[in-house]
């Protein structure tokens, strides 16, 4: 069993896509082990995207990620990290495969509806960035 962090970004909550994204997660057979809504502070968003701090799009990304509430989730299942990345599709929706969340629902490379951890180390870091052990209902 593997866990990954999923986020429905502010463009997704604003467009009332929360149910649609969760439908796709459940249809894929991934379990939701933890979930909550949060309006990220600038500081919390900057910490989360710390690896991107030198990128030209960093300030814009932080502005976007703090522009409205996000849904934070821990997803669980066999190969959860890669299965969730596959459901999401490529970062740029124009390059994302047909039938993926980003291809079907995203606006552009920044406003791309969802986040997913990109590997086992980032998954552990990101899950603990937002959730305490007690808040995660594992093995359901
Ligand atoms: P995420 O980490 O959110 O799951 P990702 O791993 O597909 O997405 P990253 O390269 O980690 O993509 O970039 C993090 C986020 O920064 C992207 O999801 C997107 O919102 C934004 N971003 C990435 N590249 C660009 C860009 N060239 N211009 C504007 N925003 C970008
Ligand atoms: Mg990433």
């Amino acid at each position: 069993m593997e866990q990954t962090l999923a986020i429905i970004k502010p463009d997704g909550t604003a467009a009332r896509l929360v149910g649609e994204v969760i439908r796709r997660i459940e249809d894929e057979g991934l379990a939701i082990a933890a979930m909550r809504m949060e309006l990220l502070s600038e500081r919390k968003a900057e910490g989360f995207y710390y690896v991107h701090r030198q990128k030209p799009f960093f300030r814009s990304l932080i502005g976007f990620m703090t522009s409205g509430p996000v849904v934070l989730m821990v997803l669980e299942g066999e190969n959860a990290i890669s299965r969730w990345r596959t459901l999401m599709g490529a970062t740029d929706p124009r390059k994302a495969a047909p039938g993926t969340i980003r291809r079907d629902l995203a606006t552009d490379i920044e406003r791309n509806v969802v986040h997913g951890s990109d590997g086992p180390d980032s998954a552990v870091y990101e899950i603990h960035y937002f959730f305490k052990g007690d808040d995660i209902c594992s093995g359901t």
Side-chain angles (χ1 to χ4, degrees):
M1 273 303 175
E2 192 172 66
Q3 293 182 337
T4 189
L5 185 83
I7 303 178
I8 304 176
K9 297 182 180 183
D11 57 332
T13 59
R16 307 205 186 289
L17 291 170
V18 173
E20 172 69 25
V21 171
I22 290 175
R23 178 79 268 147
R24 291 174 186 229
I25 288 167
E26 295 194 327
D27 284 349
E28 168 60 23
L30 289 166
I32 298 170
M35 178 162 67
R36 88 166 176 276
M37 275 189 105
E38 186 168 318
L39 184 55
L40 298 182
S41 66
E42 197 158 286
R43 191 189 160 96
K44 206 157 179 185
E46 286 170 352
F48 181 71
Y49 278 125
Y50 187 74
V51 293
H52 294 308
R53 68 195 177 283
Q54 308 290 11
K55 303 270 175 66
F57 58 80
F58 184 69
R59 286 316 332 159
S60 176
L61 176 61
I62 298 309
F64 163 53
M65 289 300 291
T66 58
S67 67
V70 298
V71 177
L72 305 166
M73 286 178 276
V74 177
L75 306 183
E76 191 173 85
E78 296 284 335
N79 303 312
I81 295 170
S82 65
R83 282 165 70 198
W84 173 231
R85 296 282 299 187
T86 301
L87 271 189
M88 286 167 38
T91 312
D92 183 347
R94 293 171 302 179
K95 295 178 183 156
T100 60
I101 291 169
R102 284 166 166 171
R103 173 67 169 265
D104 292 350
L105 307 170
T107 306
D108 56 39
I109 194 169
E110 177 179 86
R111 303 172 68 82
N112 58 8
V113 185
V114 282
H115 163 84
S117 308
D118 61 12
D121 294 343
S122 66
V124 169
Y125 174 81
E126 291 178 359
I127 287 167
H128 292 103
Y129 190 79
F130 288 116
F131 291 97
K132 291 179 295 190
D134 284 357
D135 298 330
I136 302 170
C137 309
S138 196
T140 54

